[in-house]
Amino acid sequence: MIRDDFRGGKINLEKTFHLLEKLNIRCNYIHVKYIFKDNDRLKQGRITIEEFRSIYRIIAHREEIIEIFNTYSENRKFLFEQNLVEFLKQEQYICSMNKNIASEIIQKYEPIEEVKEARQMSIEGFTRYLCSSDCQLFNNEYEKVYQDMTHPLNDYFISSSHNTYLIADQLVGPSDIWGYISALIKGCRCLEIDCWDGSQNEPIVYHGYTLTSKLLFKTVIQAIHKYAFITSDYPVVLSLENHCSPPQQEVMADDLQFILGDALLSDMLDDFPDKLPSPEALKFKILVRNKKIGTLAETRERKNTDKRGQVQEYEEYEETDQDEEEEKVKEPETLLILKDNSGKEVESRSRIALRLFRKKKVKLALALSDLVIYTKAEKFRSFHYSRLYQQFNESNSIGESQARKLSKLAAHEFVLHNMKFITRIYPKATRTDSSNFNPQEFWNVGCQMVALNFQTPGLPMDLQNGKFLDNGSSGYILKPQFLRDIETKCNLNEVLENNNPVTLMIRLISGIQLPPSNLSSSNKADTLVMIQIFGVPNDQVKQQTRVIKRNAFSPRWNETFTFIIQVPELALIRFVVENQSKITGNEFLGQYTLPVLCMNKGYRHVPLFSKVGQSLEPAALFIYVWYVR
């Protein structure tokens, strides 16, 4: 097969690369380029068949895999079926192991026909198996929806985006339909739409009072309708920032009904008159989140009536201090209602910014109001107020600064609030560069919709993408029981004391074809790996390997790290590969993030992704994972 490619004599770099791909050897072009250069003895830019074989051996040869192979091979040449069964049981923790599974693996990965027929496995087949998707770190059982999807909506973390229409900064950047399409493809289930009056009675979408470009509201809804359920079957919530006049609100209502048709939830479900439905009950439905007038029963009574021209006015409480200005004002004391041990409510003085409210009259077209069913937007005033007056279908949007104070000073109250109501957290207005906050601190207290700027890469979006890999990338993840079971009235501190911690051990063995440094003129880098745990404050930790100098192609670390994770249900693990640079600061080369409890045990490959979330295949880390609870 190889000889055919050398019929014309020597081959160049391009043909070498394509021949390696033809032989199912995945490789990084830059690495191949420099290995080709090293093996081109005459430096003519063309190589012989012997030189190609040498390149093949360098790329395909994995010393660390040969060591594992030799441990289980009786003759160091082949693995018999029984040897493979032992390896899968002892190292890969496949408990329900039998010869049929081993036989299937041999049939799937062994490239040498006579070895395959003898029901054996060569080092080539073993290497292909260990580098395959069957040996990825992420457990493929969680690549499908496996959680109970019949709980009420407020029992789930919901993938949410902020100012979804922006694809750059918040002030002068472009608004683009691609913002909505890409978010939906990533599994986002809550989109934000800023609506303003446009010319010719056509509502527009843009970031008001800025120079960002404008989109037609109906164009946005058409794109959402087309892409809403490509990645996930579960409901999409359209969070409207509504600045339109009543006549254009009626146009919005018409657009929503005409374009979305039966996909639009425009009436309460008969089985859910007084409680939130489940994602399962709302499959393939699109919900509108906006202000609302009156009750669900009144909305039903008005169904199929002509609401044109009907406008109602209501009083809304508006904050006098803006979220981003909170840091500048002195925080007066305010009263918190807490429960003492006897269950009696007692007053407790706590330094939380007193949020002053003034009444503002708002006009709302009844046609738009009546499309809001289970996701009525309601201004957050206090946990005490919500406990007394908030309705089951009302949800709050809270800015990150206020939410951070609440999570630090009244975490238990925040958890209890989120057991009953949906809370949406959004970035503060001073983030004009579309930067993001760390979402973990708000997931820790059970906030369902933690809205991020999806267009901005970096750590927060790595955590977002990693968390929502779980449950089939459906955009809905069932919260741990201690964040949803209101009967337990569970305190996070009690969870820390009573939860069974996970002891996690990771042996970081090697790197495979890591991205070379941009600072290097060759395929080199001074590589190190950082392992970070994100979760409740007690679990936040990072450890790192030593630096392997001038080797991005096949660095070997063989270092073991141990972590004790108190609340694994909320924990994410992030692997970051960097090039050490003492002058400019370490250079990011790639990362991978996933939930701790979604990891496979045993020998695993960790795929790597670029800063903007693109796969860097074949770049990977080779690790051994073991954990016990």
Side-chain angles (χ1 to χ4, degrees):
M1 179 179 162
I2 296 174
R3 289 189 183 280
D4 292 347
D5 291 270
F6 286 88
R7 271 198 187 137
K10 296 181 177 184
I11 62 170
N12 63 13
L13 172 61
E14 298 298 326
K15 283 191 175 170
T16 300
F17 185 74
H18 291 307
L19 183 53
L20 287 165
E21 284 191 324
K22 202 158 88 174
L23 294 168
N24 289 323
I25 302 295
R26 293 176 299 177
C27 35
N28 175 306
Y29 184 82
I30 297 171
H31 284 304
V32 174
K33 177 181 166 184
Y34 284 97
I35 294 167
F36 180 95
K37 200 172 164 186
D38 291 343
N39 285 271
D40 176 11
R41 286 191 284 273
L42 297 177
K43 306 299 176 198
Q44 295 175 337
R46 295 167 73 78
I47 58 167
T48 64
I49 191 167
E50 283 309 315
E51 287 167 334
F52 175 81
R53 283 181 176 141
S54 175
I55 291 171
Y56 176 90
R57 280 193 293 272
I58 289 167
I59 294 173
H61 181 90
R62 295 273 302 280
E63 191 61 45
E64 65 273 39
I65 291 180
I66 292 169
E67 287 168 14
I68 302 163
F69 181 85
N70 288 342
T71 304
Y72 285 89
S73 170
E74 294 169 23
N75 57 12
R76 297 194 160 211
K77 290 180 181 174
F78 304 107
L79 284 176
F80 296 107
E81 213 170 63
Q82 188 52 42
N83 303 145
L84 184 57
V85 168
E86 283 172 34
F87 167 77
L88 295 168
K89 273 185 181 174
Q90 291 181 28
E91 305 292 2
Q92 302 302 80
Y93 296 91
I94 301 176
C95 303
S96 57
M97 192 59 237
N98 57 51
K99 283 194 173 182
N100 288 343
I101 295 173
S103 178
E104 284 170 18
I105 289 171
I106 290 169
Q107 291 302 312
K108 189 172 177 183
Y109 295 106
E110 178 51 54
I112 305 167
E113 279 304 319
E114 49 268 41
V115 177
K116 190 191 287 187
E117 284 167 17
R119 300 174 78 162
Q120 296 172 7
M121 198 173 220
S122 64
I123 182 62
E124 285 86 356
F126 188 66
T127 301
R128 287 182 185 204
Y129 167 62
L130 276 186
C131 296
S132 74
S133 58
D134 285 345
C135 290
Q136 291 292 322
L137 179 60
F138 187 81
N139 188 332
N140 58 17
E141 286 180 21
Y142 305 128
E143 287 177 356
K144 58 182 184 294
V145 175
Y146 68 93
Q147 293 178 343
D148 183 352
M149 301 303 279
T150 61
H151 288 257
L153 282 178
N154 54 294
D155 277 356
Y156 297 84
F157 293 118
I158 302 169
S159 178
S160 306
S161 79
H162 171 251
N163 286 359
T164 317
Y165 49 89
L166 294 179
I167 57 169
D169 65 64
Q170 306 279 315
L171 297 179
V172 295
S175 303
D176 200 296
I177 287 295
W178 177 246
Y180 289 99
I181 296 169
S182 63
L184 288 166
I185 288 169
K186 287 176 185 170
C188 182
R189 299 287 88 188
C190 178
L191 308 170
E192 186 175 26
I193 310 178
D194 270 22
C195 312
W196 298 79
D197 279 358
S199 59
Q200 297 176 315
N201 207 32
E202 282 285 2
I204 53 171
V205 174
Y206 86 113
H207 200 189
Y209 309 117
T210 69
L211 299 175
T212 56
S213 57
K214 300 170 177 66
L215 301 169
L216 286 179
F217 177 77
K218 67 180 177 188
T219 309
V220 169
I221 302 305
Q222 284 164 348
I224 291 169
H225 185 232
K226 185 175 178 182
Y227 291 94
F229 303 108
I230 281 180
T231 299
S232 169
D233 299 347
Y234 293 98
V236 171
V237 177
L238 306 183
S239 187
L240 304 183
E241 253 330 296
N242 180 12
H243 305 278
C244 288
S245 61
Q248 294 214 12
Q249 288 178 32
E250 288 188 352
V251 175
M252 287 166 63
D254 287 344
D255 287 343
L256 287 163
Q257 288 173 298
F258 177 73
I259 295 165
L260 300 179
D262 290 341
L264 178 69
L265 186 81
S266 55
D267 190 12
M268 63 181 169
L269 305 180
D270 291 338
D271 293 341
F272 299 95
D274 53 7
K275 60 182 178 181
L276 287 178
S278 65
E280 189 64 35
L282 292 168
K283 258 185 170 179
F284 301 110
K285 288 292 180 186
I286 295 175
L287 286 68
V288 175
R289 183 175 184 272
N290 189 39
K291 304 295 180 190
K292 181 176 178 65
I293 291 163
T295 65
L296 289 177
E298 289 166 348
T299 297
R300 177 164 275 190
E301 282 170 21
R302 287 192 292 266
K303 194 168 171 63
N304 299 324
T305 61
D306 185 8
K307 298 161 194 166
R308 214 157 301 158
Q310 291 191 51
V311 178
Q312 292 199 13
E313 204 172 59
Y314 71 97
E315 286 185 335
E316 179 181 71
Y317 285 89
E318 184 183 44
E319 296 163 35
T320 57
D321 63 327
Q322 292 303 306
D323 191 57
E324 67 271 17
E325 291 172 359
E326 285 175 23
E327 308 298 336
K328 302 174 193 170
V329 298
K330 187 171 185 293
E331 297 176 7
E333 288 186 343
T334 186
L335 291 177
L336 275 184
I337 307 297
L338 300 172
K339 287 195 173 178
D340 64 14
N341 293 335
S342 66
K344 208 171 73 179
E345 292 198 338
V346 293
E347 290 181 350
S348 165
R349 293 194 177 272
S350 179
R351 294 184 67 79
I352 295 181
L354 180 64
R355 306 189 70 73
L356 304 171
F357 296 94
R358 61 167 174 238
K359 287 182 180 178
K360 179 180 84 167
K361 289 191 174 174
V362 179
K363 288 182 176 176
L364 191 55
L366 209 55
L368 183 60
S369 169
D370 279 0
L371 297 183
V372 178
I373 308 300
Y374 294 115
T375 43
K376 176 184 176 185
E378 188 65 29
K379 181 70 73 179
F380 176 76
R381 290 163 76 177
S382 71
F383 292 136
H384 179 56
Y385 182 90
S386 292
R387 194 163 54 245
L388 295 178
Y389 304 112
Q390 192 160 331
Q391 300 301 303
F392 79 97
N393 66 328
E394 293 176 342
S395 59
N396 309 123
S397 282
I398 306 178
E400 65 167 292
S401 301
Q402 185 194 8
R404 190 168 290 117
K405 286 173 183 169
L406 292 170
S407 67
K408 284 177 180 171
L409 299 172
H412 182 51
E413 289 275 292
F414 212 163
V415 170
L416 292 177
H417 176 84
N418 290 329
M419 285 178 177
K420 290 180 72 177
F421 308 111
I422 290 175
T423 303
R424 179 178 172 272
I425 310 296
Y426 60 90
K428 58 187 177 184
T430 48
R431 293 184 182 275
T432 53
D433 59 350
S434 296
S435 62
N436 282 312
F437 52 79
N438 183 334
Q440 186 69 49
E441 60 184 315
F442 304 119
W443 291 328
N444 287 345
V445 290
C447 296
Q448 296 86 348
M449 295 177 170
V450 182
L452 297 181
N453 292 303
F454 269 45
Q455 74 273 31
T456 307
L459 170 65
M461 275 308 295
D462 291 345
L463 298 181
Q464 159 78 23
N465 292 335
K467 185 174 188 71
F468 286 97
L469 282 175
D470 197 2
N471 203 31
S473 298
S474 63
Y476 284 85
I477 295 172
L478 188 62
K479 296 198 286 185
Q481 188 163 0
F482 57 81
L483 289 180
R484 56 185 160 85
D485 186 359
I486 205 141
E487 296 305 313
T488 62
K489 291 192 168 46
C490 205
N491 189 313
L492 267 181
N493 292 327
E494 290 168 19
V495 172
L496 285 172
E497 288 169 22
N498 303 327
N499 216 26
N500 289 330
V502 160
T503 300
L504 169 65
M505 186 276 289
I506 290 177
R507 179 153 62 92
L508 215 146
I509 302 167
S510 62
I512 302 108
Q513 299 190 53
L514 302 178
S517 167
N518 289 322
L519 308 171
S520 167
S521 57
S522 67
N523 65 330
K524 304 287 192 287
D526 295 342
T527 49
L528 66 93
V529 179
M530 206 155 35
I531 304 175
Q532 303 168 307
I533 305 290
F534 293 88
V536 299
N538 287 20
D539 288 339
Q540 310 259 28
V541 67
K542 67 178 175 185
Q543 300 189 47
Q544 75 173 54
T545 64
R546 69 187 187 282
V547 177
I548 304 290
K549 293 283 186 186
R550 295 181 57 74
N551 188 349
F553 178 68
S554 58
R556 290 278 301 269
W557 289 281
N558 261 326
E559 292 183 52
T560 301
F561 303 95
T562 303
F563 303 90
I564 308 292
I565 302 171
Q566 300 291 337
V567 187
E569 296 89 346
L570 289 171
L572 298 170
I573 185 165
R574 183 173 185 250
F575 297 84
V576 189
V577 182
E578 293 182 340
N579 169 50
Q580 187 189 50
S581 174
K582 289 176 179 170
I583 299 166
T584 58
N586 287 2
E587 176 193 6
F588 174 93
L589 296 179
Q591 71 84 33
Y592 185 62
T593 307
L594 76 164
V596 164
L597 295 179
C598 288
M599 285 195 294
N600 271 313
K601 292 180 181 178
Y603 289 103
R604 301 292 165 185
H605 274 84
V606 182
L608 294 174
F609 291 82
S610 71
K611 193 164 270 185
V612 295
Q614 291 175 329
S615 171
L616 295 170
E617 196 178 13
L621 299 172
F622 187 48
I623 67 174
Y624 183 83
V625 180
W626 177 86
Y627 57 87
V628 66
R629 191 166 191 182

